[in-house]
Amino acid sequence: MNNEQLQYLHAIKKYGNMSKASKMLFLTPQSLSKSVKTLENELGFKILYTSNKGVTFSELGEKLLDISSDFLSSIEAL
């Protein structure tokens, strides 16, 4: 897991879908999706579910967002 992957997750949460998040991150949707899948494989649990209506974070995905929020804020403060 790295800082960039966590920022990607927060962007997905903020914009509500992969397409909007990828545009704001200057990535292709495929690159963003691959990054999320890589992180899911690394951590060993599903982080989010995608559908035509957008994305839904799993319970563990929501916890990861909560925990990483403070971490990312600290990095930005530096």
Side-chain angles (χ1 to χ4, degrees), residues 33-48:
S33 180
K34 183 178 178 183
S35 178
V36 172
K37 288 184 189 323
T38 299
L39 183 57
E40 288 176 335
N41 289 335
E42 184 180 322
L43 295 175
F45 60 84
K46 190 80 173 155
I47 296 171
L48 55 88

Side-chain angles (χ1 to χ4, degrees), residues 58-77:
S58 68
E59 185 177 335
L60 289 175
E62 289 286 352
K63 287 182 182 180
L64 179 60
L65 285 173
D66 289 343
I67 292 167
S68 63
S69 217
D70 291 336
F71 171 74
L72 291 174
S73 294
S74 296
I75 288 175
E76 286 178 21

Side-chain angles (χ1 to χ4, degrees), residues 12-13 15 23-24 29 37 39 44 49 53 60 70 77:
I12 294 167
K13 181 70 173 184
Y15 296 106
K23 285 180 185 177
M24 298 309 293
K37 288 184 189 323
L39 183 57
Y49 303 98
K53 296 179 182 180
L60 289 175
D70 291 336

Side-chain angles (χ1 to χ4, degrees), residues 18-30:
M18 300 287 274
S19 181
K20 287 180 185 175
S22 65
K23 285 180 185 177
M24 298 309 293
L25 294 165
F26 303 103
L27 297 170
T28 64
Q30 295 85 359

